[in-house]
Every structure is written in C-alpha cells, then in structure tokens.
Amino acid sequence: FSKLKSLKTLLIDDTVIVRDTMQMIFEKQGCLIKACETAEEGLQALKEEWFDIMISDLQLPGIDGVEFFKRAMRSSG
C-alpha cells in the first residue's frame, strides 16, 4: 500500500460489502479512493477528476466493467 498512497484510485463495485470493505482497507492504509456503485457513476467521477488507478467489477448492472473501461479510455484520449 505504500506505493498507492500517492495515487488516486477509483473503485466500482455494486456489491456493498466488497465496495465498503475495499474502501475501508484503502483508507486505513492512507490511500485516496473514491468508491462507486455503478459504471455510470464511475464515468461521471472521471469527468470530475483524474484517477491513477481504476478497479472495476466486471458484472455490473447497466454498463458492465468491460464497457466501462472502453468508455473510460475513449474519454481520456
């Protein structure tokens, strides 16, 4: 986690326990993390700020994780 402390992470997971647990672990280690429930929320977050790392569940309601990464890459290019 020491290398992650200077990086901003975006986490997308629709499972509350996974999302909350990962957010808690990252924050406890002093890492900057924004957690979202849906890919749509994640795409909105990308419009508002820059993230060094993106972690996403593949199976999400609405836009799935693969499509999220495709759209994220297009919007950053």
Side-chain angles (χ1 to χ4, degrees):
F1 281 98
S2 63
K3 292 182 180 182
L4 295 175
K5 288 182 182 181
S6 63
L7 304 175
K8 289 175 64 176
T9 301
L10 175 63
L11 168 68
I12 304 168
D13 200 305
D14 61 322
T15 306
V16 175
I17 189 82
V18 172
R19 185 177 63 247
D20 289 353
T21 301
M22 286 186 67
Q23 184 174 12
M24 181 185 64
I25 291 168
F26 270 66
E27 289 174 346
K28 187 174 181 178
Q29 295 298 320
C31 301
L32 300 170
I33 186 167
K34 178 171 182 78
C36 298
E37 184 175 355
T38 67
E40 291 84 355
E41 289 176 18
L43 291 171
Q44 183 60 41
L46 287 173
K47 290 179 183 177
E48 298 167 3
E49 58 188 301
W50 171 262
F51 294 92
D52 301 292
I53 300 170
M54 296 183 292
I55 302 170
S56 178
D57 187 357
L58 292 179
Q59 295 180 340
L60 295 165
I63 299 171
D64 68 18
V66 173
E67 183 63 24
F68 163 77
F69 281 111
K70 287 178 183 177
R71 292 185 188 191
M73 295 303 293
R74 281 195 298 255
S75 68
S76 71

